[in-house]
Amino acid sequence: MNITISQGAADYTILLNHIEHGFVRDNQIQVANKDGDLISKTKEGGSIKGDMKKACQLILADWNNKPR
């Protein structure tokens, strides 16, 4: 697995939609593989840091389950 900023060359992409309304936060996260298959879609408040940790865990779990 390589890390890149090129979406076309990436094995996975993460889409973050962060909305703040005063003290209320709404983070919408989508994780997809390079085929465009959605691995996870979440909508939750909280920190972006925590949401990115969850996204990384999902990517690692999916990567480890792929046949080689």
Side-chain angles (χ1 to χ4, degrees):
M1 178 176 4
N2 294 321
I3 297 174
T4 180
I5 60 170
S6 171
Q7 283 186 324
D11 292 311
Y12 295 90
T13 56
I14 299 173
L15 177 65
L16 166 66
N17 184 20
H18 175 72
I19 303 166
E20 251 183 78
H21 302 281
F23 293 109
V24 179
R25 295 182 183 142
D26 183 20
N27 297 324
Q28 299 168 342
I29 308 257
Q30 291 182 345
V31 180
N33 64 19
K34 68 179 172 183
D35 297 323
D37 298 329
L38 197 59
I39 294 173
S40 176
K41 181 178 180 180
T42 64
K43 182 178 178 184
E44 47 190 85
S47 72
I48 294 174
K49 179 181 175 181
D51 292 338
M52 288 300 104
K53 282 184 179 183
K54 289 178 191 174
C56 289
Q57 290 170 348
L58 288 167
I59 289 170
L60 288 173
D62 187 70
W63 182 262
N64 287 328
N65 287 331
K66 289 193 178 288
R68 308 241 189 272

